[in-house]
C-alpha cells in the first residue's frame, strides 16, 4: 500500500494534470474521435482507432486522479523539522568512497516524470533509513547487495535551486 502523503507542489501538479486532461486534452481528442467516426468504416480508420485508444488512456488517468486526490494528505514544511530529515527534505548523503547523492523525500505519487529525477519515495528503504537523522549521522541502508553505509552531509527544506549556501 502506498503512503498517502504528498508535498504541496506535488499535489498542485496532480491537480493541474487533472484539470488539463479534463478541460483541454479530453475535449480535443473527443472532437477528433467524433470527426473520424463520421468518416464511416471504423474498423480500418487509423485516426479513429488511435484516438479512441488515447481517449481511453486519458479517461483512465482522470479516473485514477479523481480517486487518488481526495485520499492524499498534503504535508507542508514546519520549522520544527529543521535539522532533521523528514518528509519533503532535500538531503545530501555520502558514502565511504566519497560518492554523493542529492535527493528529496516525497510521496510515491511524485516520483514519476523527467523533472523529478532527484526525488525518492518516502516508502523507499533509503528514505525510511534517513527519517529523523541529522547532519553527520551514519545511515545503514539494506539493499539486495547487502548493507550500505551513508553519512548525512546536508539537510534542507528548500530546493537546491533556491539555496545559495555552500
Amino acid at each position: 500500500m502506498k503512503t498517502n502523503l504528498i508535498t504541496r507542489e506535488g499535489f498542485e501538479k496532480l491537480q493541474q494534470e487533472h484539470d488539463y486532461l479534463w478541460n483541454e486534452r479530453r475535449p480535443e481528442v473527443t472532437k477528433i474521435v467524433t470527426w473520424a467516426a463520421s468518416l464511416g468504416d471504423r474498423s480500418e480508420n487509423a485516426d479513429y482507432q488511435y484516438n479512441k485508444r488515447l481517449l481511453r488512456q486519458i479517461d483512465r488517468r482522470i479516473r485514477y486522479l479523481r480517486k487518488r486526490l481526495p485520499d492524499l494528505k498534503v504535508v507542508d514544511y514546519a520549522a520544527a523539522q529543521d535539522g532533521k530529515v523528514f518528509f519533503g527534505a532535500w538531503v545530501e548523503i555520502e558514502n565511504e568512497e566519497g560518492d554523493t547523492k542529492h535527493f528529496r523525500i516525497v510521496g510515491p505519487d511524485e516520483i514519476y516524470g523527467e523533472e523529478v529525477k532527484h526525488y525518492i519515495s518516502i516508502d523507499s528503504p533509503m528514505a525510511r533509513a534517513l527519517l529523523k537523522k541529522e547532519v553527520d549521522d551514519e545511515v545503514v541502508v539494506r539493499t539486495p547487495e547487502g548493507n550500505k553505509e551513508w553519512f548525512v552531509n546536508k539537510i534542507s527544506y528548500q530546493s537546491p535551486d533556491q539555496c545559495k549556501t555552500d
Side-chain angles (χ1 to χ4, degrees):
M1 176 121 180
K2 288 198 274 189
T3 301
N4 287 336
L5 302 178
I6 192 165
T7 63
R8 171 111 11 232
E9 301 91 348
F11 186 83
E12 289 170 359
K13 277 187 183 176
L14 288 180
Q15 188 66 54
Q16 287 170 357
E17 178 187 0
H18 171 272
D19 294 346
Y20 167 74
L21 289 173
W22 181 249
N23 297 320
E24 295 178 39
R25 189 70 178 130
R26 190 178 192 287
E28 288 170 6
V29 175
T30 302
K31 283 181 189 172
I32 296 170
V33 168
T34 304
W35 167 80
S38 72
L39 298 178
D41 186 10
R42 297 175 189 172
S43 65
E44 295 182 17
N45 186 330
D47 274 334
Y48 177 81
Q49 291 176 353
Y50 171 78
N51 286 291
K52 191 70 174 169
R53 187 176 321 117
L54 183 57
L55 191 58
R56 284 193 298 270
Q57 291 170 352
I58 291 168
D59 285 345
R60 186 171 29 252
R61 183 65 178 166
I62 289 170
R63 277 193 308 277
Y64 172 79
L65 290 171
R66 285 188 174 171
K67 185 177 178 191
R68 187 75 177 138
L69 284 168
D71 292 341
L72 294 171
K73 180 180 186 297
V74 176
V75 177
D76 289 313
Y77 164 76
Q81 296 173 316
D82 278 346
K84 289 193 177 192
V85 177
F86 289 106
F87 186 83
W90 285 95
V91 183
E92 181 183 286
I93 57 174
E94 183 176 357
N95 64 13
E96 290 176 338
E97 290 83 42
D99 298 329
T100 61
K101 294 187 182 290
H102 196 227
F103 48 79
R104 186 178 191 195
I105 299 174
V106 296
D109 294 285
E110 299 178 79
I111 60 173
Y112 303 102
E114 188 60 36
E115 72 279 356
V116 294
K117 63 183 178 183
H118 295 291
Y119 285 11
I120 64 169
S121 171
I122 186 79
D123 297 330
S124 70
M126 176 65 82
R128 291 287 181 200
L130 283 166
L131 287 178
K132 299 182 183 174
K133 298 295 185 208
E134 299 178 26
V135 172
D136 295 330
D137 280 357
E138 182 180 312
V139 179
V140 177
V141 181
R142 294 180 66 186
T143 69
E145 297 86 38
N147 290 345
K148 305 282 185 191
E149 287 185 16
W150 294 90
F151 300 94
V152 180
N153 286 344
K154 292 181 188 173
I155 302 167
S156 172
Y157 285 90
Q158 288 185 323
S159 167
D161 304 336
Q162 295 170 336
C163 295
K164 301 293 185 221
T165 60
D166 242 23

